[in-house]
Amino acid sequence: MLEKMSLSSPFCIFSFLLIIFTLALISETIQAQNGRLLPKEEKNALKEIAKQLGKKDWNFDMNPCDDNTTWTTPKRSNSQYYNNVTCNCSTPDGFCHVESLFIRGQDLEGVLPASLAKLTYLKTIDLNRNYLSGTIPPEWASTNLEIMAISNNRLSGAVPEYIGNITSLVKLSLEANLFNGSLPAEIGKLVNLQMLNLIANDFTGVWPVELNNLSKLTELRVSSNNFVGKLPNFESWKNLQMVEIQGSGFEGPIPQSISVLTSLNELRISDLTGGASEFPPLRNMTGMTKLVLRSCNIHGKIPGFVAVLSKLRFLDLSFNKLEGGIANLRKLTKLEAMYLTGNAFVGAIPVWLTSQDTEYGIDLSYNKFDQRSEPSNYRENLNLFRSFKGGNSVDNGKCLSAEPCSEEKYSLHINCGGERVVIGNTSYEADEESAGAAKFVSWRENWGSSSTGHFWDRNNISLNDYKADNLSAIKGDGSPLYMTARLSPLSLTYFARCLANGNYTLTLHFAEIVYRDNRSFQSLGRRVFDVYIQDRLKLKDFDIESVAGGVDKALKEKFNVTVQDKTVEVRFQYAGKGTTSIPSRGSYGPLVSAISLEAINLKPPSALETSFNQKKEDSNCSSDFVISSHSDDSLCCLEEKKKQ
Ligand SMILES: *[C@@H]1O[C@H](CO)[C@@H](O)[C@H](O)[C@H]1NC(C)=O
Ligand SMILES: *[C@@H]1O[C@H](CO)[C@@H](O)[C@H](O)[C@H]1NC(C)=O
Ligand SMILES: *[C@@H]1O[C@H](CO)[C@@H](O)[C@H](O)[C@H]1NC(C)=O
Ligand SMILES: *[C@@H]1O[C@H](CO)[C@@H](O)[C@H](O)[C@H]1NC(C)=O
Ligand SMILES: *[C@@H]1O[C@H](CO)[C@@H](O)[C@H](O)[C@H]1NC(C)=O
Ligand SMILES: *[C@@H]1O[C@H](CO)[C@@H](O)[C@H](O)[C@H]1NC(C)=O
Ligand SMILES: *[C@@H]1O[C@H](CO)[C@@H](O)[C@H](O)[C@H]1NC(C)=O
Ligand SMILES: *[C@@H]1O[C@H](CO)[C@@H](O)[C@H](O)[C@H]1NC(C)=O
Ligand SMILES: *[C@@H]1O[C@H](CO)[C@@H](O)[C@H](O)[C@H]1NC(C)=O
Ligand SMILES: *[C@@H]1O[C@H](CO)[C@@H](O)[C@H](O)[C@H]1NC(C)=O
Ligand SMILES: *[C@@H]1O[C@H](CO)[C@@H](O)[C@H](O)[C@H]1NC(C)=O
Ligand SMILES: *[C@@H]1O[C@H](CO)[C@@H](O)[C@H](O)[C@H]1NC(C)=O
């Protein structure tokens, strides 16, 4: 009896437990279906992830898979802030599982969360636009991620070999971080990869041939790095639709294998080192909408097939060695901008270029057309600055202006992008005209500017893009000069003419007023550009913030300039380097705050004339008034202006 009892008792307890356990399981499953429950392990993993990221606003009293405000925040318009967790609740085990984490634009200061590996159903991790540091954790090697987007952070070090273990990856974006070293060959194991974005890091070394095996790639972006050696071979990337290789360090020429990329609709290659090459074979890329081959050392003529790439919207062939006449591209009716700047085109400027009634910008500056004089009645948005040898040889054939000089100047001061400003005894002239994609401003007698290019990938293009305004808090005597600045997406020239020949000091005033100095992704921008003075490269890969030691800090770069033909020219050029996505997509390119030019040991003939010069500088006469060297005319001009 006793024995029976002792035998049946554990059995009873066991049955009882079994019933309770079954009931609990049923109730949990029901709850999961109604309340979309996560397994405990995933909830705990989220807690660890929050800690590792430095994310403090998830409310763990709530169910992450419910649409609570802390777990899924409605998209704010015009904001870079994204915040949502998505779950898959239609799984066989009856639980919900975390499928994606979008935690973007939140300036989180932590690290890439190792505990991500505990979310075994996770497919998407999007941590763009935070302030995360550190490296890619080894734990991630065991995930089944399809999308890894960790752009615009402070991540550093080498890309680990174990990234090749995440063979499920379809999109990998590492843009605008501090990753360095050579790319691991193991990236070649990511056979499902369709998108690879390595823009604006510090990758070095040669391109691993193993990556040529990524045959599903549709999008490849590797701009602004320091690779060495030849451009990759394009042979097995037949699915590529978008290629961006600007300022990446690679040597030309563009390989013939590029001809197989018949699905391309966007090709942007710039700033190749290495020898000269022919125009690449792009004949069969009839879907091409955006073509940039800038500073690629391409010589010869523009081939005829360009004229039948009928979907082209943007064509940038600037700063090559293209020669001959320009092919007739009139049939490219979808064009929105065309830059043929900085080549060696000759012959007459074709009539189809000057007479079109379309509005789009055409930039022909810096060429060698045989034109004797400016074409008459040419269209708006056509920039002919230094595009032909002026017949009457004003300014030594540079065709800066058709006007002869009324007098010689000994100084020039410009407040770039801003209004007239007086600092001490020096008046900085206003420079407020709107710039543009192909714009030549030359109404002043003694100086002007030429602006080429538009900002790629901006959502919202406006003429204000070419100026930076006073978000800045610069202190000190010259501060008003730094409140505004000119920006350029490609090339910006200031020229001075009518100068007395001799030696001058040229001062370029800079201050980084776009990036901020805070613990935010907005402080992570890197602006890098080149400066040419009198056609010579004087500042290469110039970075205002790093030279000045911070943002909002005035920086003056001084140069000795010898003037021999009465002219001085300063040109700012974007050479594909630096970030392009901070603070927002399409932010990059040269910035200049002010320009000063002062003669050294060179004095105007008489003080009287100086005061006259001053008066005229202040008058801001438009070219509608013919100015002679008679001071009365200048006064007359002032009066005319008042009357308006
Ligand atoms: C979301 O969580 C917050 C904080 O606990 C709470 O105040 C709010 O009522 C919840 N909203 C929804 C829709 O459940
Ligand atoms: C989460 O954010 C992503 C990216 O913005 C978006 O595509 C998705 O629709 C969002 N999901 C929810 C549930 O809001
Ligand atoms: C949810 O998970 C199940 C099982 O893993 C899968 O079949 C289904 O496609 C998933 N649903 C979504 C929307 O991804
Ligand atoms: C990556 O995969 C290899 C081979 O499958 C394995 O030996 C290695 O441990 C993995 N690396 C990591 C960091 O998990
Ligand atoms: C990469 O950067 C780290 C600092 O983040 C540095 O210690 C390391 O030497 C760099 N490696 C290379 C190859 O430049
Ligand atoms: C590239 O793929 C081919 C098969 O498609 C394979 O034979 C070859 O070994 C791979 N090359 C590299 C470098 O991984
Ligand atoms: C373009 O396609 C045609 C027909 O498919 C082919 O014969 C030709 O070689 C291709 N041209 C180039 C430059 O690849
Ligand atoms: C400005 O000009 C005045 C009068 O000509 C002169 O007294 C003064 O020293 C000058 N100041 C500077 C900073 O050059
Ligand atoms: C575009 O920019 C203008 C000013 O530059 C601004 O007023 C407008 O709100 C912007 N539109 C969008 C959709 O961002
Ligand atoms: C720019 O400066 C002007 C005049 O100094 C001031 O009125 C304006 O508020 C400033 N704008 C910003 C954005 O700081
Ligand atoms: C200008 O400077 C050059 C050297 O930079 C010097 O050789 C020349 O004599 C100077 N000319 C004058 C007029 O001072
Ligand atoms: C300009 O030339 C002067 C002497 O003529 C010299 O002292 C000075 O260092 C030079 N400045 C620059 C920026 O080269």
Side-chain angles (χ1 to χ4, degrees), residues 259-260 281 283-284:
S259 68
V260 304
R283 177 183 301 274
N284 289 343

Side-chain angles (χ1 to χ4, degrees), residues 214-219 236-242 260-264:
L214 301 176
S215 59
K216 289 190 183 161
L217 271 190
T218 58
E219 197 176 326
S236 45
W237 291 336
K238 294 192 174 63
N239 291 310
L240 274 181
Q241 293 168 16
M242 199 291 161
V260 304
L261 307 185
T262 50
S263 305
L264 266 192

Side-chain angles (χ1 to χ4, degrees), residues 67 72-75 81-86 100-102 104 126:
D67 287 343
T72 293
T73 309
K75 172 86 184 90
Y81 178 95
Y82 289 79
N83 187 52
N84 77 46
V85 173
T86 67
S100 57
L101 296 175
F102 294 90
R104 207 194 291 188
D126 185 336

Side-chain angles (χ1 to χ4, degrees), residues 85-103:
V85 173
T86 67
C87 303
N88 181 348
C89 296
S90 323
T91 49
D93 64 4
F95 281 97
C96 293
H97 296 285
V98 178
E99 199 172 70
S100 57
L101 296 175
F102 294 90
I103 304 170

Side-chain angles (χ1 to χ4, degrees), residues 413-423 426-433 444 447 467-470 478-486 494 593-595 620:
H413 304 277
I414 304 167
N415 181 24
C416 303
E419 58 193 10
R420 181 171 168 270
V421 162
V422 177
I423 311 280
T426 307
S427 164
Y428 287 78
E429 295 187 45
D431 174 39
E432 294 180 294
E433 298 76 32
R444 302 172 198 85
W447 67 279
K467 279 188 209 172
D469 270 323
N470 60 337
S479 63
L481 290 181
Y482 301 96
M483 300 283 239
T484 58
R486 276 284 177 205
Y494 282 92
S593 307
I595 295 177
N620 258 352

Side-chain angles (χ1 to χ4, degrees), residues 501-503 560-562 600-602:
N501 286 342
N503 288 339
N560 289 330
V561 177
T562 299
I600 309 169
N601 299 326
L602 203 61

